[in-house]
Amino acid sequence: MALVNETEIDQMRRNISDAEKTIARLEKQLAERTNIVTKLQTNEDRYRSILESTNAVAWELDVKTLKFTYVSPQIEALSGYPPEAWTDFEFWASKIHSDEREDAVNWCQVETAKGLDHEIEYRMMRADGHTVWVRDAISVISEEKNPVLLRGHFFDINDRKLSEEASFAMQATTFRSQKLESLGVMASGIAHDFNNLLSVMLGNTELCLAMSNENAPITALLEDVNKAGNQAAELIREMLTYVGKDPLKLKDTDLNTLILDMWSLVERAHPKTVNLTHDLTRKLPLAMADSTLIQQVLLNLILNASDAVGANNGSILVRTKLVDTNRIELDEIFTNPLPTSDQCILIEVSDTGSGIDEAVAENLFEPFFSTKRTGRGLGLATVQRIVDRHNGTISVKSKLGQGTTFGIYFPVLEQRCVTQAENQIQSDEGHQSKGKILVVDDEEGVRGMASKVLEYFGFSVLCASNGFAALDIFKESYEDIDCVLLDLRMPLMSGEETLDALREIDENVNVVLASGNYDPDDAARLNVSTFIQKPYSMEAIKTALSDAIRKPISS
């Protein structure tokens, strides 16, 4: 056996030393790598914890496969679907509300192709069927200018959106209120001036008709003038209705009976090609309503429905229902919030006509808006205003080519108001028109017309152009004056001021108030015999003054 020499022993020693150094170096490197891995794991855990503890939902999508590679757990709280359900791009697109889906998908595809980061806001359809507004902030990761990954965050912005919608609704309500207030001032002025003019036109026209031979050629012309004047007066009344300047005469109203009472009228007003039917729920609760205005609403809607059907064969259905307010579907257009009562009385007017497109629907309730010809009045704007003033709302549901349904919701009130007797005395046919009348009006034409009409009926007449002149005449002749026909809106001294001054001379003075935009409830407050609205007819002025003389209201 050969002996190891000293040189070989030294080499072995050196090899062992090198191995120990290598092992020590490897152990150090292993320790360093372990430390790095630990730190990386710690950082990953920290970042994941931070990422998954925020309200935002993080996600990553592979552009080539269109598969989600990661969706953070918060997605389940936001959408109702667990992370594993979020498989691919198509699943995401299917959860966008149909109203926003096309725009959102197109925007994402276009911006991704450009390699641009982008944001989208839309309603996400939750698993429970409800919707939630989200903002989707998307970053595009590219390699060599080619998009390879999409990374983004879903942010729940539902509260913000609802707050914005409430704010917009409040701003719209405020703007609408201000607009109505301005229109009210304008309408009051227009009503006063136009009704004075119409009073002169209609009064003199009626007087001419009364004095002319019905077979005379001029009679037909006068009747045309009278008809046009009454249409103008109706437009003025419609304007006052829209701005809320005419009084509501609310009373317990059976809406079924109201519909049946006007049915023969609406049957005559629509083409024979249209099948008009009604379906009225029995035992419908009474509503607090102004019957005349509600009939105006229904007539307007039925005539609009008839126009929508046109000359084609079609049908119109008028239906009444009693509905629970909290079960009303909110998937259609409403002009106002739903009534706060537990139940609502619903009147529906449905047609099988052409339907309403989106552009028309946006302007549907604007004054004087029409898809037909111009000059058709305030139309649906008046309908909306009348329903507003009854604390109700209108819904509109329509599809092009499939027809339209208007729904009018009235609150069902637990407390019923006592129906008050109207402040008018019905005259009989046998009364005589006798007595001395003081006509007080600042418009010369109105004074002249009223004087001629009253004299035609057998009254004797005195005239005054203002309150001061009326007081001078009344002081001298109040014992002979049976009634004062007093204009409420006058310069220098108003009608109410003139009334107070007249009563200082004779506390039992008999007064009939006249105005174009006066609330007849004030007749009771001012304790006058009655109120007539301009433009008044010959029969109206005769009846009002005759009844006032026969049955005056004492102080």
Side-chain angles (χ1 to χ4, degrees):
M1 182 176 179
L3 295 176
V4 178
N5 60 37
E6 191 67 30
T7 301
E8 290 177 335
I9 292 173
D10 289 341
Q11 184 61 45
M12 292 175 62
R13 287 175 179 159
R14 284 194 295 270
N15 290 341
I16 292 171
S17 177
D18 291 341
E20 289 175 346
K21 290 178 181 179
T22 300
I23 292 172
R25 186 174 64 254
L26 290 174
E27 287 178 344
K28 183 179 179 181
Q29 290 176 349
L30 180 61
E32 289 175 349
R33 180 167 296 184
T34 301
N35 187 43
I36 291 171
V37 170
T38 301
K39 287 182 177 179
L40 288 173
Q41 185 63 51
T42 300
N43 287 337
E44 182 180 348
D45 291 343
R46 181 186 300 116
Y47 296 142
R48 184 181 294 273
S49 176
I50 293 172
L51 184 65
E52 297 182 356
S53 64
T54 63
N55 291 327
V57 178
W59 58 267
E60 185 180 75
L61 181 90
D62 186 294
V63 173
K64 184 177 181 180
T65 63
L66 294 181
K67 300 291 185 181
F68 280 102
T69 57
Y70 175 76
V71 179
S72 64
Q74 301 97 310
I75 191 64
E76 188 162 5
L78 179 67
S79 70
Y81 296 98
E84 56 269 20
W86 291 79
T87 53
D88 54 25
F89 186 87
E90 290 299 323
F91 182 85
W92 166 74
S94 71
K95 301 312 168 195
I96 302 174
H97 192 282
S98 57
D99 289 351
E100 292 100 34
R101 182 178 302 144
E102 183 176 354
D103 288 342
V105 171
N106 288 343
W107 178 252
C108 183
Q109 290 175 335
V110 169
E111 296 302 291
T112 298
K114 295 177 181 178
L116 299 176
D117 297 346
H118 51 283
E119 293 187 5
I120 319 169
E121 291 186 0
Y122 52 83
R123 283 171 292 174
M124 181 183 289
M125 303 297 300
R126 287 177 44 84
D128 58 10
H130 293 90
T131 61
V132 57
W133 276 99
V134 299
R135 178 165 61 89
D136 199 353
I138 303 169
S139 296
V140 181
I141 311 302
S142 299
E143 292 180 359
E144 298 180 354
K145 297 184 180 181
N146 294 316
V148 292
L149 288 175
L150 297 183
R151 289 176 183 156
H153 292 84
F154 295 128
F155 297 94
D156 184 343
I157 59 171
N158 203 56
D159 290 343
R160 192 200 82 193
K161 279 289 187 179
L162 294 178
S163 178
E164 288 176 355
E165 290 173 2
S167 177
F168 291 151
M170 184 176 296
Q171 291 175 12
T173 300
T174 301
F175 174 75
R176 186 167 175 271
S177 176
Q178 292 171 342
K179 182 174 72 171
L180 282 176
E181 185 177 351
S182 298
L183 285 173
V185 174
M186 180 186 71
S188 296
I190 290 175
H192 178 269
D193 293 339
F194 271 77
N195 282 328
N196 278 334
L197 295 172
L198 289 170
S199 292
V200 177
M201 293 169 56
L202 292 174
N204 284 305
T205 302
E206 286 188 3
L207 189 57
C208 288
L209 284 169
M211 298 172 67
S212 66
N213 187 321
E214 65 178 28
N215 296 320
I218 197 172
T219 300
L221 300 177
L222 290 170
E223 287 175 345
D224 286 344
V225 173
N226 190 59
K227 180 180 178 181
N230 281 309
Q231 289 175 340
E234 179 58 34
L235 181 58
I236 293 295
R237 282 192 288 271
E238 192 175 347
M239 185 186 305
L240 292 173
T241 297
Y242 175 68
V243 297
K245 291 294 183 180
D246 65 329
L248 285 178
K249 298 176 182 177
L250 297 175
K251 60 182 180 180
D252 285 339
T253 303
D254 183 342
L255 295 178
N256 283 341
T257 301
L258 182 147
I259 292 170
L260 293 174
D261 286 346
M262 62 179 295
W263 199 252
S264 59
L265 172 64
V266 298
E267 282 184 320
R268 292 194 298 269
H270 78 281
K272 299 301 181 184
T273 55
V274 179
N275 180 32
L276 180 63
T277 58
H278 58 69
D279 178 13
L280 308 181
T281 298
R282 298 181 61 186
K283 296 182 179 180
L284 204 64
L286 297 177
M288 284 298 295
D290 185 318
S291 299
T292 301
L293 293 181
I294 298 306
Q295 285 182 333
Q296 181 181 343
V297 165
L298 293 173
L299 186 60
N300 193 308
L301 291 178
I302 292 171
L303 291 177
N304 279 356
S306 181
D307 284 345
V309 175
N312 303 320
N313 291 326
S315 62
I316 299 172
L317 173 64
V318 179
R319 175 186 290 130
T320 59
K321 298 178 183 178
L322 181 64
V323 297
D324 292 333
T325 306
N326 59 4
R327 294 187 178 181
I328 296 173
E329 295 291 336
L330 301 178
D331 58 348
E332 52 205 68
I333 300 171
F334 285 85
T335 58
N336 281 322
L338 288 167
T340 56
S341 58
D342 293 335
Q343 291 185 307
C344 294
I345 300 171
L346 170 62
I347 302 179
E348 286 185 335
V349 179
S350 303
D351 66 67
T352 58
S354 55
I356 304 171
D357 66 33
E358 187 174 342
V360 171
E362 291 178 356
N363 300 295
L364 206 54
F365 295 98
E366 288 296 316
F368 297 102
F369 175 79
S370 175
T371 57
K372 310 297 180 182
R373 60 186 183 276
T374 59
R376 302 198 65 181
L378 290 166
L380 288 175
T382 301
V383 168
Q384 180 188 0
R385 183 60 179 151
I386 291 172
V387 175
D388 285 354
R389 296 175 67 196
H390 284 77
N391 297 317
T393 188
I394 305 173
S395 67
V396 184
K397 188 161 44 179
S398 183
K399 288 186 177 181
L400 285 176
Q402 298 183 31
T404 302
T405 297
F406 284 87
I408 310 169
Y409 294 84
F410 297 99
V412 173
L413 305 179
E414 296 179 3
Q415 302 270 338
R416 310 307 296 172
C417 297
V418 178
T419 303
Q420 305 210 355
E422 295 188 12
N423 187 26
Q424 292 184 349
I425 304 169
Q426 298 299 323
S427 61
D428 55 71
E429 293 296 327
H431 72 267
Q432 296 181 344
S433 300
K434 292 182 179 180
K436 181 173 285 190
I437 309 298
L438 173 57
V439 176
V440 187
D441 200 295
D442 62 304
E443 292 289 337
E444 182 179 359
V446 175
R447 292 195 308 275
M449 178 275 299
S451 177
K452 286 180 286 188
V453 168
L454 293 174
E455 288 173 350
Y456 175 81
F457 283 125
F459 295 99
S460 60
V461 182
L462 299 171
C463 291
S465 61
N466 56 61
F468 295 109
L471 293 177
D472 291 339
I473 295 172
F474 194 71
K475 287 176 183 176
E476 294 181 3
S477 309
Y478 72 90
E479 293 181 349
D480 298 326
I481 294 174
D482 296 289
C483 189
V484 179
L485 176 60
L486 178 61
D487 183 25
L488 192 63
R489 309 285 187 235
M490 296 189 299
L492 302 180
M493 179 182 286
S494 70
E496 190 166 338
E497 291 171 335
T498 303
L499 176 60
D500 292 338
L502 291 171
R503 282 177 174 159
E504 290 180 4
I505 300 171
D506 179 5
E507 63 180 2
N508 293 318
V509 60
N510 201 7
V511 176
V512 171
L513 288 175
S515 179
N517 57 342
Y518 174 64
D519 186 342
D521 288 344
D522 282 349
R525 178 179 64 83
L526 297 174
N527 196 28
V528 296
S529 297
T530 190
F531 158 75
I532 53 176
Q533 185 167 0
K534 292 180 179 180
Y536 38 70
S537 66
M538 286 177 59
E539 189 60 35
I541 191 173
K542 169 191 170 184
T543 301
L545 291 167
S546 297
D547 288 348
I549 291 172
R550 289 189 304 116
K551 296 182 180 180
I553 294 179
S554 59
S555 297

